[in-house]
Amino acid sequence: MTYPVVGMVGGGQLARMTHEAGIPLGIRFKILSDTPQDSAAQVVADVTVGDYRDLETLRAFAAGCDVLTFDHEHVPTGHLRALEADGVVVRPGSEALVHAQDKGVMRTRLAEIGVACPRNRIVADPADAAAFAASVGGFPIVLKTVRGGYDGKGVWIVRSPQDAEEPFRAGVPVLAEEKVDFVRELAANVVRSPHGQAVAYPVVESVQVDGVCDTVIAPAPDLPDELSAQAQQLALTVARELGVIGHLAVELFQTADGRVLVNELAMRPHNSGHWTMDGSVTSQFANHLRAVLDLPLGDPRPRARWTVMANVLGGDYPDMYAAYLHCMARDPAVKIHMYGKDVKPGRKVGHVNTYGDDLAEVRERARHAAGYLRGTIDE
Amino acid sequence: MTYPVVGMVGGGQLARMTHEAGIPLGIRFKILSDTPQDSAAQVVADVTVGDYRDLETLRAFAAGCDVLTFDHEHVPTGHLRALEADGVVVRPGSEALVHAQDKGVMRTRLAEIGVACPRNRIVADPADAAAFAASVGGFPIVLKTVRGGYDGKGVWIVRSPQDAEEPFRAGVPVLAEEKVDFVRELAANVVRSPHGQAVAYPVVESVQVDGVCDTVIAPAPDLPDELSAQAQQLALTVARELGVIGHLAVELFQTADGRVLVNELAMRPHNSGHWTMDGSVTSQFANHLRAVLDLPLGDPRPRARWTVMANVLGGDYPDMYAAYLHCMARDPAVKIHMYGKDVKPGRKVGHVNTYGDDLAEVRERARHAAGYLRGTIDE
């Protein structure tokens, strides 16, 4: 048999769910995990424990793989280039992935290809940030470290020159952006293969709470067809122009005047696509694997009128098993996805998917299950 | 966290697909596999290689598990009883499982609880088989070894006294059954938990070719509601009366005069339930795990009007990867499930699921994909 070996760098829940999707494909799947206890390391047969920041570790891992892909964006860009120079098949490649690693590079490139973004520029210090604020109509503005942020970390809403000091303390370049007066956040998810084949999932609404994704509604309710098509086209354009291989999540702001602006990019399976596990014909994880293997892509169409995903965050109780049993008894159709992670307050430890014809009911079922698991709902 | 550990004896495709279903449940899943290359051993994180016929091997494996369950029926009944005497939680238990291990015990018990079966009795030798034939209207009859058969092995259609000699050669007791004049084969699949909760899947039609399951159609077309309900009720009765825990497949003959007779029982996930992976809200694998863990069971309802499963058998070409790529390109919505097994002619190496509103089209898509993978269709 010539079924290929896919190596994924990272052992988090994205690698765990990618393994789940890879089993029916018949491929071999390996991970490079930080520890033997990581979410994916608990369920994957072939686990290498090692540090992705070490080039020789990456080289040894890649030697056993037909293609290398990623559960996160943190592998140093120089290491990716070194692996490519060795002849390793890296997907997405370093030339694409740098746009998901460095927000400054991403903003520059999106401007070049004419994709609308919030106004932005790299700022040198708090005074420069204040000057940028003045140029976009004043505070508040958003400051971001160009590398290393996720789930609201590395992002500051800055309301005054004094507020602007903290982002510079890490010594990482800082990007300033106008604070967009958006009506909601959307995500346009696409998958692209080396052949140039691409599929677009329905555009979803992403509801954030405290900078962390709380709920995703697929498709985004009341989104005009024209704006939906525009957002999908935008994501396909970004995927093509940046040479993305695999899953690309484009997080968007929908503005009051009916435009979409790019907030962030991720070049891997993404939280805004977890609904596809139960809600579409082919999940983002299966399509990511098909793309990095240059297999024909799977049908991205939805299977239900509405699918809602709610993240399960850790609460005060370390043991969720009893709550989980209760949720199964209350709603035999709720799809619970646990990640095998220790519960810590605010940590993403799982998600639930619900689907059906009535959005209010579908959303309430997801809200209840996620809240009950977290411990914020007790009935 | 108190997520339990499920140990499954066996490393075949059923264990592989059970692992896939266990990942979102957040549980730990271990297997006892014959070799490190077995279908499930390729994808499961925690694999013990050992011989299930050895009681000490079973004891050591069970020591690390909260519950023990099975991918096949071949563990000796005495070993199951010994494990239970040790305090191991065995699900289904030996008292239930013996009915799926020994066709003689099964027939006796089903008669006791009033479940309709083909006329049958244990026969001592070819002459006794001929006497049985005379009592049911003459040859042909069916002879079966009471233990060890599967996929048509251990089953003979006997057309004359001379034909009746081979089944006795193994020295295993032989069961004689009337050859039922059936119009088609059905399967009624149910799942039952220690709480006594049970769910019934839609009754399916199972199309056999050369004694091996070829296609499953869910639900069985043109099955009168009354007969469907009767078949589901029959399976629920068998599950309750025999004390089955986990998935129970009841293979049935539908007769020309509108009755159903029990052909075989299996107390594990079953080929006739593979359609549920893509065709129902909760798959047979997820519900088997929920049952053996005494978790509330998941919704068994279908997600599409029609779902068709077709087995992929090995053909003349050992490498299916190119064919598999072709199938994905031709039909982006076909769901291919490969088992990681070496291709041998006639061996089950995977299955495909298709679903939709038009049965003829759904069935043709499944037939084409399975045939193309096998190499019997070349367009």
Side-chain angles (χ1 to χ4, degrees):
Chain A
M1 297 205 304
T2 58
Y3 286 82
V5 180
V6 175
M8 184 171 261
V9 177
Q13 64 263 29
L14 301 177
R16 179 184 176 101
M17 294 185 277
T18 305
H19 177 53
E20 184 186 340
I23 293 173
L25 290 174
I27 59 164
R28 301 283 176 144
F29 185 74
K30 299 176 51 163
I31 60 167
L32 177 64
S33 180
D34 290 345
T35 80
Q37 289 79 40
D38 280 17
S39 176
Q42 297 169 23
V43 299
V44 171
D46 194 340
V47 179
T48 301
V49 175
D51 186 346
Y52 63 83
R53 293 166 300 191
D54 178 66
L55 180 57
E56 292 314 310
T57 298
L58 288 169
R59 282 192 162 125
F61 178 68
C65 304
D66 294 303
V67 57
L68 200 68
T69 190
F70 307 93
D71 142 297
H72 58 66
E73 291 92 1
H74 307 320
V75 177
T77 314
H79 289 6
L80 299 175
R81 290 188 185 128
L83 292 167
E84 289 169 333
D86 291 347
V88 175
V89 179
V90 178
R91 290 176 176 163
S94 64
E95 287 301 303
L97 199 58
V98 68
H99 300 93
Q101 296 183 307
D102 187 308
K103 298 180 204 296
V105 173
M106 181 262 283
R107 287 299 183 214
T108 301
R109 182 75 180 126
L110 293 186
E112 284 170 7
I113 63 174
V115 169
C117 294
R119 285 173 288 176
N120 67 88
R121 71 170 169 84
I122 299 289
V123 288
D125 53 38
D128 196 19
F132 172 80
S135 74
V136 295
F139 288 102
I141 60 169
V142 180
L143 295 184
K144 299 175 172 178
T145 52
V146 294
R147 282 184 176 257
Y150 68 98
D151 278 357
K153 295 178 182 64
V155 177
W156 292 263
I157 310 294
V158 171
R159 301 179 191 284
S160 70
Q162 292 71 38
D163 273 2
E165 286 170 18
E166 191 186 337
F168 292 91
R169 285 192 189 124
V172 177
V174 172
L175 181 73
E177 298 186 347
E178 68 174 314
K179 188 169 183 308
V180 175
D181 183 25
F182 61 85
V183 293
R184 61 176 170 175
E185 294 188 59
L186 304 172
N189 291 339
V190 297
V191 184
R192 183 173 176 273
S193 79
H195 258 74
Q197 190 191 13
V199 294
Y201 286 98
V203 176
V204 298
E205 178 175 347
S206 171
V207 181
Q208 312 280 317
V209 175
D210 299 332
V212 177
C213 176
D214 180 84
T215 304
V216 169
I217 304 168
D222 302 319
L223 186 66
D225 287 349
E226 195 182 350
L227 198 54
S228 169
Q230 185 187 326
Q232 288 183 314
Q233 190 56 59
L234 181 159
L236 290 167
T237 298
V238 171
R240 185 187 67 232
E241 294 297 321
L242 272 51
V244 178
I245 302 301
H247 189 266
L248 169 71
V250 181
E251 296 184 88
L252 297 162
F253 296 125
Q254 181 182 351
T255 64
D257 57 353
R259 294 175 303 139
V260 288
L261 304 176
V262 173
N263 180 17
E264 304 281 359
L265 302 182
M267 296 182 193
R268 51 168 170 76
H270 187 258
N271 203 163
S272 63
H274 288 358
W275 70 275
T276 61
M277 297 177 82
D278 300 297
S280 69
V281 175
T282 313
S283 78
Q284 65 166 346
F285 299 101
N287 261 338
H288 183 76
L289 284 170
R290 288 164 76 149
V292 302
L293 290 167
D294 206 9
L295 287 166
L297 301 179
D299 189 336
R301 279 178 295 182
R303 292 199 65 177
R305 174 77 185 89
W306 298 105
T307 303
V308 172
M309 189 284 316
N311 279 319
V312 177
L313 303 185
D316 295 333
Y317 303 99
D319 182 359
M320 280 192 184
Y321 195 72
Y324 152 97
L325 192 152
H326 172 89
C327 289
M328 289 183 183
R330 186 178 195 272
D331 184 351
V334 68
K335 306 301 291 184
I336 303 178
H337 299 265
M338 301 305 292
Y339 304 156
K341 291 161 79 171
D342 288 334
V343 171
K344 294 176 187 170
R347 186 186 204 191
K348 287 181 192 169
V349 295
H351 71 269
V352 300
N353 285 332
T354 53
Y355 52 82
D357 291 330
D358 179 335
L359 177 56
E361 181 224 317
V362 171
R363 192 168 180 177
E364 172 55 22
R365 288 167 52 211
R367 186 196 69 84
H368 187 281
Y372 197 93
L373 286 164
R374 185 177 190 173
T376 53
I377 294 176
D378 183 23
E379 38 72 40
Chain B
M1 299 206 302
T2 58
Y3 286 82
V5 180
V6 175
M8 183 170 262
V9 178
Q13 64 262 29
L14 300 177
R16 180 185 177 99
M17 294 186 276
T18 305
H19 177 53
E20 186 186 339
I23 293 173
L25 290 174
I27 60 165
R28 301 282 176 144
F29 185 73
K30 299 175 50 162
I31 60 167
L32 178 64
S33 179
D34 289 345
T35 81
Q37 288 79 40
D38 280 17
S39 177
Q42 296 169 23
V43 300
V44 170
D46 194 341
V47 179
T48 302
V49 175
D51 186 347
Y52 63 83
R53 293 165 300 190
D54 178 67
L55 179 57
E56 293 315 310
T57 298
L58 287 169
R59 281 192 163 124
F61 178 68
C65 305
D66 293 303
V67 57
L68 200 67
T69 189
F70 308 94
D71 143 295
H72 59 66
E73 292 92 2
H74 307 319
V75 178
T77 315
H79 288 4
L80 299 175
R81 291 187 185 127
L83 292 167
E84 288 169 334
D86 291 347
V88 175
V89 179
V90 179
R91 290 177 176 163
S94 64
E95 287 299 304
L97 200 57
V98 69
H99 299 92
Q101 297 183 308
D102 187 309
K103 298 182 204 298
V105 173
M106 182 263 281
R107 288 296 183 218
T108 302
R109 182 76 180 124
L110 293 186
E112 284 170 8
I113 63 174
V115 169
C117 294
R119 285 174 288 175
N120 68 87
R121 70 171 168 86
I122 299 288
V123 288
D125 53 36
D128 196 19
F132 172 80
S135 75
V136 297
F139 288 103
I141 60 169
V142 180
L143 295 184
K144 299 175 173 179
T145 52
V146 296
R147 281 183 176 259
Y150 67 98
D151 277 356
K153 294 176 182 65
V155 177
W156 293 263
I157 310 294
V158 171
R159 301 179 191 286
S160 70
Q162 291 73 37
D163 273 2
E165 285 168 22
E166 192 186 336
F168 292 92
R169 287 196 185 120
V172 178
V174 172
L175 181 73
E177 298 186 346
E178 68 173 315
K179 187 169 184 309
V180 175
D181 183 26
F182 60 86
V183 293
R184 61 175 170 176
E185 295 188 59
L186 304 172
N189 291 339
V190 299
V191 184
R192 182 172 176 273
S193 79
H195 259 73
Q197 189 191 12
V199 294
Y201 285 98
V203 176
V204 299
E205 176 174 346
S206 171
V207 181
Q208 312 280 317
V209 175
D210 300 331
V212 178
C213 176
D214 180 84
T215 304
V216 169
I217 305 168
D222 303 319
L223 185 67
D225 287 349
E226 196 182 349
L227 198 56
S228 170
Q230 186 188 324
Q232 288 183 314
Q233 190 56 59
L234 181 159
L236 291 167
T237 298
V238 170
R240 185 187 67 233
E241 293 299 320
L242 273 52
V244 179
I245 303 301
H247 188 267
L248 169 71
V250 182
E251 296 184 90
L252 297 162
F253 296 124
Q254 180 182 352
T255 65
D257 58 352
R259 294 174 303 138
V260 289
L261 304 176
V262 173
N263 181 17
E264 305 281 356
L265 302 182
M267 296 182 192
R268 49 167 172 77
H270 187 258
N271 203 165
S272 63
H274 288 358
W275 70 275
T276 61
M277 298 178 83
D278 301 296
S280 70
V281 176
T282 313
S283 78
Q284 64 166 347
F285 299 100
N287 262 338
H288 182 77
L289 284 169
R290 286 163 76 148
V292 302
L293 289 168
D294 206 9
L295 287 166
L297 300 178
D299 189 336
R301 278 180 295 181
R303 292 198 67 177
R305 174 75 186 90
W306 298 105
T307 303
V308 172
M309 189 283 316
N311 278 321
V312 177
L313 303 186
D316 294 332
Y317 302 100
D319 182 1
M320 280 193 184
Y321 195 72
Y324 153 97
L325 191 152
H326 173 90
C327 289
M328 289 184 181
R330 186 177 194 271
D331 184 351
V334 68
K335 305 302 290 184
I336 303 177
H337 299 264
M338 301 306 291
Y339 303 156
K341 291 162 79 170
D342 287 335
V343 172
K344 294 177 189 170
R347 186 186 204 191
K348 287 181 191 168
V349 295
H351 71 270
V352 301
N353 285 333
T354 53
Y355 52 82
D357 291 329
D358 178 336
L359 176 56
E361 181 224 318
V362 170
R363 192 167 179 177
E364 172 55 22
R365 287 169 51 212
R367 186 196 70 84
H368 188 280
Y372 198 93
L373 287 164
R374 186 176 188 174
T376 53
I377 294 176
D378 182 25
E379 39 72 39

